[in-house]
Amino acid sequence: MAKAQNILLRAYIIILHIINNLVSIIRTKILTPWNNNNTSLLYQTLPLEISTKLSIDTTSIKTASSDFGKLVHDPPAFVFHPTTVSDIVHLVKSSYTACPPFKIAARGHSHSIGGQATVKDGVVVEMSSLVDGGIKVCWSESLGFYCDVGGGQLWIDVLRTTMEHGLAPVSWTDYLYLSVGGTLSNAGISGQAFLHGPQISNVLEMNVITGKGDFITCSKNMNSDLFYGVLGGLGQFGIITRARIVLQKAPTRVKWIRMIYEDFVTFTKDQEHLISLNHGPNYVEGYLIMKKSPANNWRSSFFSVDDEAKVNALASEYGVVYSLEVVKYYDNFDIPKTDEELNEMFKGLNFKTGYIFKKDATFIDFLNRVRTEELKLQSKGLWDIHHPWLNFFIPKSCILEFNQRVFIDIIQRENKSAGPFLVYPMNRKKWDYRMSSVISDEDEGEDVFYTVGLLPSARNGEDLTTIENQNKRILKLCDEIGINIKQYLPRYYETKEEWMMHFGVQWGLFEERKAKYDPKMILSPGQKIFNFSY
């Protein structure tokens, strides 16, 4: 019996040895042709259970080669599908100890515009593969309600989970099918930011894997330098694997109102008034309506057929009009009180008489409004096309000149792109200057700045070229006439000097943090901040 067991054991060892040799041949002979960035070292340094999560199949590579913008095509050498956080730690450490290291980019929902989530000839980490980064709603005496969320989780799932407990985060993006780690690496803004700040201002704690492969828990009081660096840090200092998000009691419904203005000065004055109120709206945004950018757009089909025709007719008459969008949260038993608050809130506003439009919606339907339009466009093949967007922050003192020189003289008169075109104010005091995200430079006495989003789509190469050229003209014009903008989700910087100008006085700290947490410049090369030749 013992002899038979020994024979079986020897046979098992021989078979195992043969398998290991075959694996070695596959690693060195088959996968080596992919080695444009020394990535075959992965197969020599990673444990087998980690290296087997690297994929080179055509579908995975194609998906990871581009992003929502459909402007860049940078195929990675491998796509990594981790199931645990430790998988990512091993991957990053393997790069850090390799000579030379291979580049790594964490990919959430890849809603970037200019290939920021891609990594040519490197490794894209599919954060959605993680199974140990769910959503957990918690409460503590010191923190109140919060949720711990995996970095690869989508905000729509955060909303649905927290709403089961009657709770919700306070700051959002207009589109919820974005990853938590992705928006926190930028800022995360929408019409609630004037009141609660961007999403990065509502984070209590994070788990981060640095460019050295160190797994670090950080907060305002613990490893605070990393905490502030990662928030808005464009993925340069670490991969967010968990974030602790502030929660508050969630409303059940919203009063959703849009008002139309013929005059931009009055439009901005009323926007600024609304965001200054102590008990004002919960959400404020604004956008342009013109011939190619009608009242209803892919952000939401708010207007009825008759109302849209009425508003579009006014826009045709004036060339461009402005829509102020206001939302007030409420619960079913608060309807009379909410209506009274809205009436008081709108006293003194100067929108065009007869051009106020109201709608009632559930809280979830309002927050998830873009998804409804996305599905419509997907069915027509009009969603997965080029999105040459341009987003930036602009000082309040420059917004009137910007309206004339850009909105009117370029966008409206030339009528080359369809928008939508967003413009709405934020309160500067709701942003934390210790974080990496930068906003417009502060002019003396200005507590308000504006965000502008030029969000056209292009169905073909000709349209794409037209829009891209227009974007570059706008940026050049702002530079020439002294409108000091700061790109949000930046993609037009090509040199170190341009990035230094972007970060301004914060550049030195940004560079120091890079040297401290990712000294070999492994992470997020698609941002092209430190990898200029990438």
Side-chain angles (χ1 to χ4, degrees):
M1 185 70 175
K3 185 176 181 180
Q5 288 177 336
N6 286 335
I7 293 173
L8 288 173
L9 180 60
R10 288 176 183 175
Y12 172 78
I13 293 172
I14 292 171
I15 292 171
L16 187 62
H17 181 70
I18 293 172
I19 291 173
N20 286 336
N21 284 338
L22 287 173
V23 169
S24 178
I25 292 171
I26 291 171
R27 290 174 177 173
T28 56
K29 300 297 183 182
I30 297 178
L31 295 173
T32 297
W34 290 82
N35 179 23
N36 293 324
N37 199 25
N38 213 30
T39 49
S40 65
L41 288 172
L42 290 170
Y43 280 83
Q44 301 170 20
T45 58
L46 287 176
L48 185 60
E49 64 271 18
I50 302 299
S51 60
T52 53
K53 295 175 182 177
L54 288 167
S55 174
I56 59 170
D57 70 86
T58 303
T59 300
S60 294
I61 294 295
K62 181 179 179 180
T63 300
S65 297
S66 190
D67 55 17
F68 178 70
K70 298 292 187 292
L71 309 177
V72 172
H73 184 77
D74 281 333
F78 302 102
V79 178
F80 188 57
H81 298 276
T83 55
T84 67
V85 171
S86 62
D87 289 345
I88 305 175
V89 170
H90 285 306
L91 179 75
V92 178
K93 283 187 174 180
S94 295
S95 174
Y96 189 71
T97 57
C99 186
F102 48 85
K103 306 298 183 184
I104 297 172
R107 185 180 189 272
H109 198 59
S110 197
H111 203 73
S112 55
I113 304 302
Q116 291 95 329
T118 62
V119 52
K120 186 177 181 180
D121 300 327
V123 180
V124 167
V125 180
E126 281 288 355
M127 297 298 291
S128 59
S129 299
L130 286 172
V131 297
D132 62 353
I135 304 167
K136 185 179 180 182
V137 176
C138 308
W139 180 88
S140 75
E141 190 171 339
S142 59
L143 299 177
F145 286 105
Y146 63 88
C147 61
D148 281 328
V149 183
Q153 294 289 325
L154 301 183
W155 284 103
I156 181 62
D157 296 319
V158 175
L159 175 63
R160 288 169 176 162
T161 301
T162 57
M163 284 293 287
E164 292 175 359
H165 301 266
L167 303 166
V170 296
S171 190
W172 297 94
T173 52
D174 284 341
Y175 180 59
L176 302 186
Y177 285 74
L178 307 176
S179 70
V180 170
T183 66
L184 296 184
S185 295
N186 289 280
I189 59 172
S190 184
Q192 302 90 355
F194 80 91
L195 183 61
H196 298 288
Q199 290 181 317
I200 56 174
S201 293
N202 297 278
V203 179
L204 300 172
E205 184 179 284
M206 292 183 293
N207 287 344
V208 174
I209 300 171
T210 71
K212 296 179 179 180
D214 296 329
F215 179 81
I216 299 176
T217 299
C218 55
S219 68
K220 291 180 179 180
N221 301 315
M222 176 174 52
N223 300 307
S224 59
D225 182 59
L226 180 62
F227 178 78
Y228 290 121
V230 167
L231 292 172
L234 304 176
Q236 295 304 299
F237 315 119
I239 298 172
I240 300 170
T241 61
R242 177 186 65 90
R244 179 165 290 177
I245 309 295
V246 173
L247 298 179
Q248 288 186 0
K249 181 182 179 298
T252 55
R253 303 193 66 81
V254 306
K255 296 285 187 178
W256 191 359
I257 302 101
R258 290 188 182 177
M259 295 160 277
I260 306 301
Y261 292 74
E262 301 165 0
D263 176 64
F264 188 75
V265 174
T266 308
F267 166 70
T268 53
K269 181 180 178 181
D270 282 0
Q271 279 189 319
E272 291 168 21
H273 169 70
L274 287 171
I275 71 168
S276 72
L277 298 176
N278 290 329
H279 301 286
N282 299 99
Y283 167 103
V284 173
E285 284 197 11
Y287 66 99
L288 281 63
I289 299 173
M290 57 186 71
K291 186 175 181 180
K292 275 196 174 184
S293 184
N296 281 334
N297 53 55
W298 58 258
R299 291 180 64 251
S300 69
S301 294
F302 176 89
F303 295 98
S304 68
V305 174
D306 291 341
D307 288 343
E308 182 183 24
K310 178 181 177 180
V311 174
N312 288 342
L314 187 70
S316 295
E317 178 183 351
Y318 284 89
V320 57
V321 294
Y322 309 92
S323 173
L324 198 166
E325 185 175 25
V326 177
V327 171
K328 184 70 175 177
Y329 300 161
Y330 76 99
D331 292 308
N332 290 329
F333 53 82
D334 286 336
I335 295 177
K337 178 184 176 183
T338 304
D339 287 338
E340 289 178 12
E341 290 175 346
L342 286 170
N343 289 335
E344 186 66 28
M345 192 187 309
F346 293 159
K347 285 182 179 178
L349 297 187
N350 293 290
F351 53 87
K352 184 173 176 60
T353 302
Y355 283 81
I356 180 170
F357 306 90
K358 301 178 181 180
K359 196 172 184 177
D360 198 283
T362 68
F363 180 60
I364 291 180
D365 285 346
F366 165 68
L367 289 181
N368 201 30
R369 61 199 178 279
V370 176
R371 177 63 170 178
T372 303
E373 305 309 313
E374 174 192 2
L375 295 176
K376 292 178 185 177
L377 291 173
Q378 281 183 351
S379 67
K380 300 176 183 178
L382 298 177
W383 184 257
D384 295 321
I385 57 179
H386 305 295
H387 297 98
W389 291 359
L390 175 60
N391 298 271
F392 48 85
F393 301 127
I394 182 170
K396 171 186 170 181
S397 58
C398 300
I399 196 64
L400 298 184
E401 184 177 12
F402 184 89
N403 173 66
Q404 182 60 51
R405 300 295 297 272
V406 176
F407 285 152
I408 302 299
D409 292 347
I410 295 179
I411 293 176
Q412 186 255 320
R413 287 181 182 169
E414 296 182 2
N415 199 28
K416 291 181 178 179
S417 55
F421 306 109
L422 309 182
V423 53
Y424 57 94
M426 297 186 184
N427 285 316
R428 192 178 297 276
K429 63 185 177 182
K430 297 295 183 178
W431 292 67
D432 193 327
Y433 284 87
R434 293 171 292 182
M435 296 175 182
S436 291
S437 185
V438 292
I439 56 179
S440 65
D441 290 340
E442 182 176 4
D443 286 350
E444 186 176 354
E446 284 192 0
D447 296 326
V448 171
F449 67 98
Y450 277 80
T451 183
V452 171
L454 310 182
L455 313 178
S457 300
R459 301 187 188 186
N460 54 54
E462 182 180 352
D463 288 347
L464 176 61
T465 300
T466 298
I467 296 169
E468 284 286 73
N469 287 340
Q470 180 175 274
N471 287 345
K472 292 174 183 177
R473 281 179 56 208
I474 291 170
L475 292 172
K476 183 179 180 181
L477 175 66
C478 288
D479 183 57
E480 289 175 347
I481 64 179
I483 298 179
N484 187 15
I485 66 173
K486 295 290 186 183
Q487 288 187 44
Y488 177 61
L489 313 174
R491 65 182 182 91
Y492 284 106
Y493 300 137
E494 298 179 353
T495 66
K496 179 178 180 180
E497 289 71 28
E498 288 175 315
W499 280 107
M500 291 174 68
M501 287 291 293
H502 172 77
F503 285 104
V505 296
Q506 293 178 247
W507 171 254
L509 179 59
F510 196 86
E511 201 171 33
E512 287 176 13
R513 285 170 171 166
K514 185 68 171 178
K516 182 177 180 180
Y517 299 111
D518 185 22
K520 295 188 178 181
M521 301 182 185
I522 292 168
L523 301 177
S524 297
Q527 296 281 359
K528 298 182 175 65
I529 301 176
F530 297 98
N531 309 79
F532 307 115
S533 61
Y534 161 78

